[in-house]
Amino acid sequence: MNSLRLQFRFLFPLVIVLVAAAYFSLPLIDKLTLRWFSRDLSLRGTLVVSSLEDSISDALRTHDLERIQKAIERVVTDERLLGVGLCDTTGKLIVSAGVFAPGEGCAAALETAGETFPVRSFAGGNVHVGVHPIRGSSGAVVNLVLLHDLSFIERRSRDTRRYLVILLTGLGLVVAVTTIVVAQLTLRGWMQNTRALLSDGGSGVENERRLGELAPLAVELRARLRDLEDEFRRALGPQLEWDPERLRSLLRTQLRDDEVIVVSNREPYIHEQVDGNIVVRRPASGLVTAVEPVMRACSGTWIAHGGGSADRQTVDAKDRVRVPPGREEYTLRRIWLSPEEEQGYYYGFANEGLWPLCHVAHVRPVFRESDWHQYVAVNRRFAEAVAAEAVSEDPVVLVQDYHFALLPAMIREYLPRATILTFWHIPWPNPESFGICPWRREILRGMLGSTILGFHTRYHCKNFIETVDRYLEARIEHEHSIISHQDDETLVESYPISIEWPGPRQVADWPAVDACRRAVVERLGLASNVRLAVGVDRFDYTKGILERLNAVERLLEKHPEWVGKLVFVQVAAPSRSSLEEYQSFQQRIQLQCQRINERFGGADYQPVLLLAEHHEHEALTELYRAADVCLVTSLHDGMNLVCKEFVAARDDERGVLILSRFAGAAREMTEALIVNPYHVEESADALHQALTMPDAEQRERMASLRMTVREYNVFRWAGRMLADAGRFRLRQRIEARVQRVRSE
Ligand code: GDG
């Protein structure tokens, strides 16, 4: 309909042009036809005269006017000839026939002699006046005047005009119909191309061919659409975004301000003795990075192992301390572990057993009976602590990670009405891999004490459900992801974790990107023009640090132009260093760095810098902001938060992220350069691509990544989980009420 309207809009001027053409051309045509006929009539007159000339000459000689009269009367019988008159040279009428006015008829007629277009009005119409001189035999000259009726010309002209109007209208109609048909076809083709162009049929030769000359337009249009989408999402941002306030309001409305307790092994604030002073440290831990902002928003109590050298000095009589220091938004309850407990539960069963078991990163899990006993005992101690801290019968308990697989079922023994949300921060392997754990059933039963069990990805959920299916008697509702085991139901769901998106005040405190770069270059003693690639990790074999170094080495081999110009800085925060596997891994990395530096470095250039020490949070932000490239090449990672922190730090929308496809984050952060870290060639190429990536592409990728991380932030992670818990609790309350009514 719209397209028709559009075409009529085009046709209207065409009609106007045709009408104007008819309007201006018709008088012209009238004039022309009159001239043609007048010339015709002059010729005709000449013929008539030549047929009369002889007899008139003879008759004049003999003054036989009667003969002349008869001759001209014969001629006048022609219907187009109105009258004939014979005039002498003085304008006197000699004889006449038909309508010929005596006297002035001759005089008026003779005036027209010599005119090319001798037409006069006569008796309400036009007549053609033909003056033909005839020389008599006596030598005297007379003029034979022929008055031809021009009304037939007018008739013909009217007919011509009618035909012309019909012709122009017909022509107009043909043009109009042709225009509409051509326009419709063109429009349809255009619509198809435009649809193809908007549908983002992917890149590649086939798509280019399909779009033809519209291909460059497609690129521009898609870029513009992306910008508009970005602007739109930015504009909607505040309404859609998850932030602490929205989380708090969810707690108020859906959980009716219920009590929230978090349990994790790692504590969010560690008090350390340093040179006789007590300092507070934030641990290098993805779990703490994610859960701490949620806890600040929810208040409540966080129960964790007190591992800092000054932790005991800073708690009250009930082993509690208010944190964050200075802001005191929630309570940290510390649990003290003996060295044997820590060794067996934490280093032994959790980190030598479950960690490699779940990551499948080519390090053999070690399962010792004694470690298992410590693991059970410590889980029990934490369960008791939860029961002791709970002020209500049905708190919401957030159990964190693989250190506490048995805790959910144990908490349920003490607090049957608690809502237990367990989040497993690391991957879950397939049933075969998990099957090598001697206590696989105990672990699964322990976890199924949870109301909700969360993993980062659907894939990990699927692996877990299949594992339960393989090793336990349980009913599984696959379509709802619910496992029923011993009268308890557990919802298994994916909740991709994230970071807290930096607020405007925090961003305002950050030094400018250039200043960060200068500070890092100066601090590390680098040349001012070097390109910087960075890696930030706990010093762990699952993070792909070795593979990253191999990629850097291969890049320098393949593209020697980067030697002297690229420096790779690896922050490796000490982690689980008392374990042999970690010690030998860390030594291996150190040797590898040395080797690369010896091969490509010199007195004033070292291509690789290993900073194997804990860094303050601000120092990491400075490094992220100074970097051209951030490398995250985990061999297997539940999510990985470093890549999200890098993106959050780049409000300048510059810098390139290289991300392992084996990190959970790769499913969301698709605009990163996704690599297989085991493929050294591919990683080296990605590094080269990152270092040579044009600014506009960096901006486009980074803007999109930032949008994702901002929207899918940690408050959304917690919000979704707590909202699911709220729904569960509501259902539970309704069921309890129904039960009560039934029993009354
Ligand atoms: C597990 C899963 C999942 C690193 N060095 C320092 C430091 N860090 C911080 C980083 C980041 C965190 O540690 C590491 O986060 P990741 O996500 O990489 O990893 P894991 O600790 O292995 O965490 C992981 C996570 O849980 C959350 O669920 O993403 O897949 O393995 O925040 O910035 N922090 C400080 N100094 C350092 O030197 N302050």
Side-chain angles (χ1 to χ4, degrees):
M1 190 64 205
N2 275 345
S3 73
L4 271 182
R5 208 175 297 148
L6 196 76
Q7 286 159 30
F8 280 123
R9 218 175 287 164
F10 165 74
L11 284 177
F12 185 66
L14 182 76
V15 170
I16 300 239
V17 168
L18 286 176
V19 169
Y23 180 80
F24 288 110
S25 64
L26 286 178
L28 201 72
I29 284 169
D30 274 0
K31 211 185 248 177
L32 272 175
T33 44
L34 212 60
R35 281 196 182 185
W36 288 332
F37 283 113
S38 139
R39 211 166 298 143
D40 237 20
L41 290 174
S42 299
L43 273 173
R44 208 162 168 273
T46 314
L47 278 174
V48 171
V49 170
S50 59
S51 69
L52 290 177
E53 197 167 15
D54 288 346
S55 55
I56 288 178
S57 289
D58 277 354
L60 280 176
R61 187 164 37 84
T62 58
H63 292 282
D64 188 354
L65 294 181
E66 205 173 322
R67 188 176 157 203
I68 297 172
Q69 182 72 42
K70 275 186 191 151
I72 60 174
E73 272 171 5
R74 256 197 324 275
V75 173
V76 165
T77 52
D78 181 337
E79 60 165 328
R80 275 175 285 172
L81 208 53
L82 279 177
V84 179
L86 192 65
C87 308
D88 67 10
T89 45
T90 62
K92 211 167 109 216
L93 181 68
I94 303 169
V95 284
S96 70
V99 282
F100 200 91
E104 80 274 22
C106 268
L110 291 182
E111 274 173 20
T112 67
E115 287 183 14
T116 48
F117 188 49
V119 175
R120 290 290 186 277
S121 303
F122 179 76
N126 280 331
V127 289
H128 178 267
V129 185
V131 180
H132 304 271
I134 297 175
R135 192 176 289 275
S137 48
S138 61
V141 174
V142 287
N143 291 304
L144 187 66
V145 178
L146 305 177
L147 298 183
H148 271 102
D149 181 10
L150 284 183
S151 65
F152 82 95
I153 295 177
E154 274 154 20
R155 272 197 313 276
R156 284 189 189 174
S157 173
R158 248 195 326 271
D159 289 348
T160 315
R161 215 179 299 167
R162 196 164 51 236
Y163 292 135
L164 194 77
V165 167
I166 292 172
L167 182 82
L168 282 178
T169 313
L171 196 74
L173 281 175
V174 170
V175 171
V177 170
T178 317
T179 311
I180 288 177
V181 170
V182 172
Q184 280 286 355
L185 291 176
T186 317
L187 207 68
R188 199 169 300 167
W190 240 88
M191 293 296 279
Q192 274 169 1
N193 280 342
T194 312
R195 251 178 230 138
L197 163 156
L198 292 176
S199 69
D200 197 2
S203 51
V205 180
E206 178 50 28
N207 197 40
E208 296 278 304
R209 194 194 54 72
R210 201 154 45 85
L211 287 171
E213 68 277 14
L214 291 180
L217 183 65
V219 173
E220 283 210 10
L221 201 59
R222 284 192 197 126
R224 184 70 196 123
L225 283 176
R226 262 198 296 273
D227 286 350
L228 285 175
E229 194 191 353
D230 289 357
E231 274 169 32
F232 179 70
R233 288 172 73 188
R234 247 177 239 144
L236 282 183
Q239 288 160 37
L240 295 176
E241 239 168 61
W242 274 95
D243 57 14
E245 192 36 57
R246 184 162 169 197
L247 190 66
R248 272 193 286 268
S249 101
L250 180 137
L251 285 166
R252 273 195 306 271
T253 54
Q254 299 198 30
L255 291 166
R256 304 196 304 190
D257 278 332
D258 288 326
E259 187 186 3
V260 176
I261 300 175
V262 169
V263 187
S264 74
N265 172 71
R266 179 70 67 225
E267 55 182 341
Y269 294 92
I270 307 175
H271 288 93
E272 299 273 19
Q273 279 282 1
V274 178
D275 305 328
N277 296 318
I278 294 178
V279 294
V280 186
R281 236 179 6 92
R282 300 282 309 277
S285 153
L287 180 156
V288 170
T289 304
V291 181
E292 213 269 333
V294 175
M295 202 51 192
R296 284 203 320 264
C298 305
S299 300
T301 305
W302 185 325
I303 305 173
H305 168 217
S309 52
D311 274 354
R312 283 177 195 265
Q313 284 166 260
T314 43
V315 292
D316 62 14
K318 293 187 168 164
D319 299 328
R320 295 179 186 145
V321 56
R322 294 284 290 169
V323 284
R327 300 229 300 275
E328 305 183 356
E329 286 163 328
Y330 63 94
T331 302
L332 172 61
R333 159 78 199 274
R334 286 174 171 149
I335 303 284
W336 316 114
L337 298 180
S338 68
E340 296 74 34
E341 281 175 324
E342 195 179 354
Q343 181 55 46
Y345 136 83
Y346 176 72
Y347 289 110
F349 194 75
N351 286 320
E352 287 189 287
L354 289 179
W355 178 267
L357 178 77
C358 289
H359 280 91
V360 199
H362 319 292
V363 169
R364 279 182 178 204
V366 177
F367 293 111
R368 300 183 197 91
E369 191 80 22
S370 54
D371 291 345
W372 169 246
H373 290 309
Q374 292 293 2
Y375 188 81
V376 177
V378 171
N379 271 247
R380 176 65 64 190
R381 287 196 51 205
F382 275 83
E384 286 163 2
V386 171
E389 289 299 325
V391 288
S392 63
E393 281 185 350
D394 61 349
V396 177
V397 187
L398 305 174
V399 176
Q400 304 300 317
D401 230 356
Y402 61 102
H403 311 95
F404 297 115
L406 307 177
L407 192 58
M410 290 178 176
I411 294 174
R412 194 150 304 290
E413 290 171 25
Y414 297 99
L415 299 164
R417 291 184 48 224
T419 303
I420 305 168
L421 313 183
T422 302
F423 194 79
W424 198 261
H425 290 255
I426 62 176
W428 189 273
N430 59 43
E432 290 73 31
S433 303
F434 188 74
I436 65 173
C437 175
W439 299 282
R440 54 187 175 268
R441 288 197 179 81
E442 286 82 343
I443 287 177
L444 293 173
R445 278 190 212 114
M447 291 172 79
L448 289 177
S450 318
T451 317
I452 295 175
L453 176 55
F455 294 93
H456 293 297
T457 67
R458 282 298 322 151
Y459 180 65
H460 299 152
C461 294
K462 181 180 129 314
N463 278 351
F464 179 80
I465 292 172
E466 285 172 4
T467 309
V468 171
D469 203 15
R470 179 78 61 89
Y471 301 111
L472 288 186
E473 285 291 321
R475 193 163 57 82
I476 298 170
E477 287 175 55
H478 286 279
E479 64 279 26
H480 298 118
S481 255
I482 288 180
I483 301 176
S484 303
H485 177 67
Q486 294 176 348
D487 297 334
D488 281 330
E489 274 189 357
T490 303
L491 168 72
V492 181
E493 189 51 282
S494 65
Y495 303 97
I497 211 165
S498 194
I499 55 165
E500 179 179 13
W501 186 255
R505 243 187 278 154
Q506 198 179 343
V507 172
D509 281 350
W510 288 344
V513 165
D514 283 348
C516 290
R517 207 191 127 78
R518 277 196 302 276
V520 169
V521 160
E522 201 172 301
R523 184 151 42 82
L524 302 177
L526 310 176
S528 61
N529 60 346
V530 287
R531 305 295 299 278
L532 266 186
V534 302
V536 174
D537 302 87
R538 282 186 305 99
F539 214 155
D540 194 294
Y541 55 80
T542 60
K543 300 292 178 185
I545 300 173
L546 188 65
E547 288 67 18
R548 207 172 297 174
L549 290 168
N550 291 342
V552 172
E553 182 174 21
R554 183 73 189 115
L555 174 83
L556 298 178
E557 244 169 39
K558 265 180 112 171
H559 296 281
E561 69 270 21
W562 289 117
V563 177
K565 297 209 181 94
L566 170 70
V567 172
F568 170 59
V569 178
Q570 174 68 52
V571 169
S575 179
R576 309 170 194 171
S577 311
S578 63
L579 294 179
E580 216 180 287
E581 193 65 54
Y582 280 76
Q583 284 167 9
S584 68
F585 171 72
Q586 292 169 4
Q587 275 163 16
R588 218 169 134 204
I589 296 296
Q590 268 149 3
L591 287 175
Q592 180 80 336
C593 291
Q594 254 172 33
R595 206 178 52 70
I596 297 174
N597 283 339
E598 276 161 20
R599 185 170 168 202
F600 295 102
D604 48 7
Y605 170 65
Q606 303 268 285
V608 172
L609 278 180
L610 179 66
L611 309 177
E613 64 217 354
H614 187 87
H615 283 62
E616 284 312 312
H617 201 66
E618 293 67 31
L620 294 184
T621 305
E622 185 182 69
L623 195 59
Y624 291 139
R625 283 170 74 71
D628 296 295
V629 185
C630 178
L631 283 145
V632 174
T633 53
S634 321
L635 303 180
H636 205 178
D637 220 332
M639 174 55 69
N640 191 286
L641 296 181
V642 170
C643 52
K644 298 192 173 184
E645 289 169 352
F646 171 64
V647 162
R650 298 314 294 258
D651 60 335
D652 62 331
E653 297 184 340
R654 294 294 183 282
V656 182
L657 173 65
I658 296 179
L659 178 58
S660 162
R661 51 187 280 218
F662 305 121
R667 280 155 211 258
E668 295 168 61
M669 305 182 74
T670 46
E671 294 82 3
L673 298 182
I674 306 288
V675 296
N676 171 358
Y678 291 99
H679 192 181
V680 65
E681 212 66 27
E682 185 183 298
S683 306
D685 290 347
L687 191 47
H688 182 67
Q689 187 189 345
L691 289 165
T692 52
M693 188 180 285
D695 257 20
E697 188 180 343
Q698 288 187 35
R699 197 206 129 242
E700 199 175 338
R701 285 175 185 266
M702 187 53 87
S704 183
L705 286 168
R706 285 173 61 80
M707 203 82 68
T708 306
V709 178
R710 180 182 170 162
E711 190 175 328
Y712 292 81
N713 61 33
V714 75
F715 297 109
R716 184 179 186 275
W717 168 76
R720 280 188 57 226
M721 229 169 5
L722 290 168
D724 284 348
R727 274 193 290 277
F728 181 85
R729 283 163 83 89
L730 184 67
R731 209 179 68 203
Q732 238 183 2
R733 278 186 206 123
I734 294 169
E735 279 172 6
R737 224 171 292 154
V738 171
Q739 288 270 327
R740 224 178 303 135
V741 171
R742 266 202 207 133
S743 58
E744 276 166 12

